Amino acid sequence: MILAVGVTLWTRAALAASDLATYLPKAQPSDFFANADRFGPPQGDPPIVPVYRGDQLQGFVYLNSDFANSVGYSGKPIHILVGIDSDGIVRGLKLVDHKEPIVLIGIPEPRIVAAMNSLIGKDMRPIAQGAERPPQVDIVSGATVTVLVMSDSVVRSAVRLIRTGRIGGSSATPAAALPPVTKTLDLGKSEIRDWATLVGDGSVRRLHLTIGEVNDAFAKSGNTAAAQNPEAGDAGDTFIDLYVALASAPTIGRSLLGDDGYERLKERLQPGQQAIMIAGDGVYSFKGSAYVRGGIFDRVEILQEGSSTRFRDRNHTRLGALAAAGAPDFREIGLFVTPPEFTLDPTQPWELQLLVQRNVGSRDKAFLTFDLDYNLPDRYLRREQRAVTVPSSAPAPVTQTSVPAAQVSLPADDGEEPLWMRIWRSQPASITITAIALIILTAIFFFQNILVRRPTLYTWVRRGYLAFVLIWLGWYANAQLSVVNVVTFTNALVTGFHWEFFLAAPLIFVLWSATAAALLFWGRGPFCGWLCPFGALQELTNTLAKWLKVPQITVPWGLHERLWPIKYIIFLSLFGLSLYSVALAETFAEVEPFKTAIILKFARSWPFVAYAGGLLFIGLFIERFFCRYLCPLGAALAIPGRIRTFEWLRRWKECGSPCQRCAKECPVQSIHPEGHINVNECIYCMHCQELYYDDQRCPHMIQVRLKREKFQAMSSPSMRAGGAGPKTLITHAGKPVPLPASARAQILTGHPHKGDEHG
């Protein structure tokens, strides 16, 4: 009994930090090993599950995301169960969960699975030893990034599992005594060198391919369709001229980036991270024309000793030029920082693999890879002699598996910094800019009465802020909130909430925190009217349309009021659908054009582009059409926004009865004819507050101004001194007597003058 309880507690502990227990019930033992009939208890941490046929061990099953990063295009992990035998040979794969939009919408999942099945039967031991390069799976056109991420995660997870010695036997890595000499990167050696010297000694390595060489390579590949579609141009023309350098080496970094650029790089690098400069010229781009913010650079891959990585946008910094004297001008230059899950040893050889693709039909593509080897020159290394003490009575050496500590996926130490903290540390500039923008917006709201009294200044402040939100926050930083965030957050509360998941996206987390706080003060207005990039795009395009004299359509109030509920119906439908399937809800959340217009910047298939473009086109005639009637996120924010504590928008008693000016001029028609502002629909543009203080347009303020001007005229020195103007007189005992100024003021304003209350 005690033993059974102990096993149960151990099993729970082993699975506590893993999702394996969640996804294993979705598979059968026979999915991985023929005739296998049962799973055994999980072993180790991260856990692997033995698979048996009767009492005979067939192999093991593990979850790829437990051993390697598997975050895909969606920004969420792709979970794959991997079956691997005791010799390190992959025997089966099963895709159990993903949120990849390109697969959810458009590309059949079986095509993705079929591409991954080419890994079945691959022996991962030579890859773990560094004797072979990772295998390449068949690329699925339109889902290149997704397939590459899935393949990399399976290969890297298998390699790391083998290197721990848990499978693969003693052949995973040959035994080796502690080397008497160790090499490290010499950080104290730093000098400035010109381009010719850097290229000459191998500090910068080059891969030059001509159009003829690439055409010949495709012809020799055996792909007839690719050979029949050669690259246009002369055979001697440059296809790509690619240069690579380890920029984290002080001399190389200072020479290529300049002193200031290298110092900024040093501040950005975390312990164990390296930086790689890639520069290219020619007709082929190493970044790729389909690259978008939030995606992966799928044309370049870094490989070392069987491990590999591709860079995401957060690892990339665009450079305009190189600082080294004599460096040529390149069409594109990128500075890439290795991700935390990949350890690049700068003292050992590594290689860059360039993926060259060619269209062979309307949707299909052919692919070839070209390698560029890199070995850091010895002048940048420091050698240390390490003593090896062997006791005289030492027994004969026993063969063991030598495991590079930096490349083994082991349980993290309790003091290890969490991943989300490392992500936040890597984005100080973006977080700071966002925080400053939020502080400025808060100041605009708190001091709105001062700003709206100056309509011209306020108009340009608002337009400038919206332009910043669209260009920097939206198109550059991809910080576009979505109803998917609401659905995911709600689902997390039900299924198991973890702050680390939401903290992994710093800007999204900051914006959501600010939006939640703003709901208490101003309702949905701060986000919908100021912080939504797509909302900014709608308003700025409509402003341009008005400037071009595009006629504006005023929706009749009766129809307008009945169109409001549509967005609430959409939101409630998505919310209800998420209770059944979050993935299905995320698919239908494409009713939001945010991903197309902001995240992907219209680099998407035509139905999505046509939908987003159609909404913007309608918005040229009806300002913020999508915000008014269709936005599920606006509806989601409006519901809790009703609990706001303060009322910041001022109204006169004449508003709505009889004055209708604010109601007619409200950009989104959120003011009822009777003068009431519907906070559920208000985007807090403050146009009504401009009118509130404008004594040239607001009827109430016009009356106040006219009374003030009349009083000033009656109180002028000419009137008091008996000037030519008319005088106000009273008669006493048959004699006219001038009326005191205070009495005249009381007649004009309706209020007694100070000191004359009694009279």
Side-chain angles (χ1 to χ4, degrees):
M1 178 67 180
I2 295 177
L3 178 60
V5 172
V7 170
T8 301
L9 294 177
W10 175 83
T11 300
R12 291 178 180 175
L15 292 173
S18 170
D19 291 322
L20 180 60
T22 302
Y23 298 114
L24 193 60
K26 298 182 179 181
Q28 298 296 323
S30 58
D31 292 337
F32 308 98
F33 301 94
N35 302 320
D37 51 24
R38 67 183 178 92
F39 293 117
Q43 302 175 359
D45 184 14
I48 59 176
V49 173
V51 182
Y52 295 93
R53 183 175 62 186
D55 293 331
Q56 185 178 3
L57 177 66
Q58 302 296 300
F60 300 89
V61 171
Y62 67 90
L63 191 64
N64 65 325
S65 55
D66 286 343
F67 290 85
N69 177 41
S70 62
V71 176
Y73 196 87
S74 64
K76 298 178 181 179
I78 302 172
H79 297 295
I80 302 173
L81 290 173
V82 183
I84 191 168
D85 64 19
S86 300
D87 294 327
I89 300 175
V90 176
R91 294 302 184 183
L93 300 170
K94 187 174 182 62
L95 177 62
V96 289
D97 182 70
H98 71 89
K99 300 295 187 296
E100 294 298 277
I102 198 67
V103 181
L104 291 170
I105 305 172
I107 296 181
E109 186 174 296
R111 289 188 60 190
I112 305 295
V113 175
M116 292 297 300
N117 285 341
S118 62
L119 293 176
I120 296 176
K122 296 291 184 181
D123 188 348
M124 294 297 172
R125 288 176 298 177
I127 302 170
Q129 298 169 3
E132 293 184 7
R133 291 192 306 232
Q136 294 291 329
V137 299
D138 296 330
I139 301 299
V140 176
S141 180
T144 303
V145 171
T146 298
V147 173
L148 291 176
V149 169
M150 293 169 65
S151 171
D152 286 349
S153 68
V154 170
V155 172
R156 285 189 283 110
S157 61
V159 166
R160 292 185 179 186
L161 182 58
I162 291 172
R163 286 178 173 172
T164 62
R166 298 170 68 181
I167 62 172
S170 60
S171 61
T173 306
L178 185 66
V181 177
T182 60
K183 296 187 294 184
T184 58
L185 183 62
D186 190 352
L187 300 177
K189 184 175 294 185
S190 178
E191 56 183 318
I192 301 296
R193 309 177 71 198
D194 60 24
W195 178 257
T197 305
L198 292 171
V199 175
D201 70 356
S203 301
V204 177
R205 300 295 173 99
R206 181 189 188 193
L207 172 65
H208 182 265
L209 297 174
T210 65
I211 291 177
E213 290 172 337
V214 173
N215 287 338
D216 290 342
F218 273 107
K220 295 176 181 178
S221 67
N223 190 323
T224 305
Q228 293 175 349
N229 290 272
E231 186 75 26
D234 295 336
D237 291 347
T238 296
F239 179 76
I240 188 170
D241 196 11
L242 193 69
Y243 291 84
V244 177
L246 186 73
S248 47
T251 295
I252 301 175
R254 287 186 60 203
S255 301
L256 296 177
L257 308 178
D259 289 333
D260 293 340
Y262 180 67
E263 290 301 320
R264 288 193 297 270
L265 174 63
K266 284 175 57 180
E267 294 175 358
R268 178 184 176 187
L269 291 178
Q270 300 296 317
Q273 282 189 311
Q274 305 297 329
I276 298 172
M277 184 282 301
I278 306 177
D281 208 350
V283 298
Y284 190 73
S285 167
F286 72 84
K287 292 184 177 180
S289 58
Y291 167 71
V292 293
R293 295 291 302 179
I296 295 178
F297 292 87
D298 59 343
R299 294 188 178 183
V300 290
E301 182 179 12
I302 303 299
L303 303 97
Q304 186 179 60
E305 295 183 351
S307 296
S308 64
T309 188
R310 284 182 172 87
F311 299 110
R312 298 185 68 90
D313 65 304
R314 59 176 171 264
N315 310 124
H316 168 249
T317 301
R318 180 182 176 276
L319 301 179
L322 297 176
D329 294 329
F330 292 101
R331 190 180 71 167
E332 51 190 11
I333 309 173
L335 182 64
F336 298 89
V337 174
T338 56
E341 66 272 9
F342 177 79
T343 301
L344 179 68
D345 186 352
T347 67
Q348 299 299 319
W350 53 272
E351 64 185 68
L352 179 143
Q353 191 173 84
L354 175 69
L355 182 71
V356 176
Q357 62 186 33
R358 169 173 292 181
N359 294 326
V360 294
S362 59
R363 292 182 56 87
D364 296 328
K365 295 180 180 180
F367 298 89
L368 282 180
T369 58
F370 296 86
D371 299 333
L372 173 58
D373 296 327
Y374 191 93
N375 194 0
L376 192 67
D378 289 343
R379 62 180 299 158
Y380 302 116
L381 303 178
R382 180 175 59 192
R383 287 174 167 77
E384 295 181 353
Q385 188 77 26
R386 298 184 63 179
V388 179
T389 303
V390 181
S392 58
S393 59
V398 179
T399 301
Q400 299 178 1
T401 300
S402 176
V403 183
Q407 297 173 347
V408 176
S409 178
L410 295 175
D413 295 335
D414 293 338
E416 183 180 354
E417 185 178 52
L419 176 61
W420 70 266
M421 293 184 65
R422 297 199 298 271
I423 295 175
W424 280 66
R425 290 181 185 275
S426 68
Q427 301 181 30
S430 297
I431 296 172
T432 301
I433 292 173
T434 303
I436 292 174
L438 292 174
I439 292 172
I440 292 174
L441 182 59
T442 304
I444 290 174
F445 282 1
F446 270 93
F447 301 102
Q448 65 184 44
N449 294 336
I450 298 175
L451 194 55
V452 296
R453 290 175 185 266
R454 299 162 176 81
T456 302
L457 174 63
Y458 177 77
T459 298
W460 286 106
V461 167
R462 177 165 173 78
R463 289 176 181 172
Y465 199 93
L466 291 178
F468 163 80
V469 167
L470 172 62
I471 297 172
W472 189 87
L473 202 60
W475 284 338
Y476 177 78
N478 288 163
Q480 169 72 67
L481 304 188
S482 167
V483 71
V484 173
N485 302 127
V486 178
V487 170
T488 304
F489 181 81
T490 307
N491 184 261
L493 293 178
V494 176
T495 59
F497 184 83
H498 299 286
W499 277 111
E500 292 79 4
F501 176 79
F502 299 95
L503 288 168
L507 297 190
I508 297 297
F509 182 83
V510 169
L511 285 175
W512 267 120
S513 300
T515 300
L519 289 175
L520 300 176
F521 288 83
W522 302 284
R524 64 175 277 202
F527 173 76
C528 295
W530 294 82
L531 292 173
C532 177
F534 187 75
L537 178 60
Q538 291 181 93
E539 184 163 330
L540 292 174
T541 52
N542 181 265
T543 299
L544 179 61
K546 291 177 180 177
W547 182 75
L548 295 174
K549 308 300 183 183
V550 174
Q552 298 298 296
I553 299 174
T554 300
V555 182
W557 178 259
L559 176 61
H560 172 67
E561 195 174 24
R562 284 159 179 77
L563 292 176
W564 274 344
I566 295 178
K567 59 179 173 288
Y568 295 94
I569 295 173
I570 294 174
F571 167 68
L572 292 176
S573 300
L574 292 174
F575 182 78
L577 193 60
S578 71
L579 300 179
Y580 169 72
S581 170
V582 175
L584 193 59
E586 291 179 350
T587 301
F588 282 94
E590 287 290 343
V591 69
E592 292 179 328
F594 303 160
K595 184 186 298 182
T596 301
I598 304 301
I599 305 300
L600 303 180
K601 295 182 282 294
F602 298 98
R604 209 173 183 191
S605 59
W606 73 265
F608 296 100
V609 175
Y611 173 66
L615 292 175
L616 291 174
F617 178 77
I618 298 174
L620 299 178
F621 304 91
I622 303 175
E623 184 168 349
R624 284 183 177 256
F625 173 82
F626 178 78
C627 296
R628 296 194 201 188
Y629 307 126
L630 300 177
C631 182
L633 178 58
L637 295 177
I639 295 173
R642 294 188 63 85
I643 66 174
R644 75 192 194 288
T645 307
F646 306 99
E647 183 57 69
W648 297 74
L649 300 178
R650 300 186 176 188
R651 311 293 286 155
W652 298 113
K653 64 180 181 180
E654 296 91 344
C655 292
S657 178
C659 180
Q660 296 289 318
R661 181 142 198 175
C662 288
K664 292 181 178 179
E665 292 193 18
C666 177
V668 293
Q669 295 178 256
S670 65
I671 302 178
H672 289 253
E674 66 271 18
H676 168 67
I677 297 177
N678 188 337
V679 294
N680 289 347
E681 309 301 324
C682 177
I683 63 170
Y684 223 94
C685 66
M686 300 187 201
H687 180 70
C688 61
Q689 299 305 287
E690 288 186 54
L691 293 175
Y692 181 90
Y693 290 107
D694 195 329
D695 59 9
Q696 301 295 324
R697 294 183 291 169
C698 176
H700 175 90
M701 292 301 297
I702 290 173
Q703 293 296 322
V704 172
R705 175 176 57 80
L706 292 176
K707 289 181 180 181
R708 182 176 65 250
E709 291 175 350
K710 187 174 182 180
F711 169 71
Q712 291 173 348
M714 297 298 293
S715 302
S716 63
S718 61
M719 295 294 292
R720 293 197 302 269
K727 300 179 180 179
T728 303
L729 303 176
I730 62 174
T731 301
H732 180 69
K735 297 180 181 180
V737 178
L739 187 67
S742 59
R744 294 199 303 273
Q746 181 177 353
I747 293 173
L748 292 173
T749 64
H751 300 286
H753 189 274
K754 185 177 181 180
D756 294 327
E757 290 84 358
H758 63 282

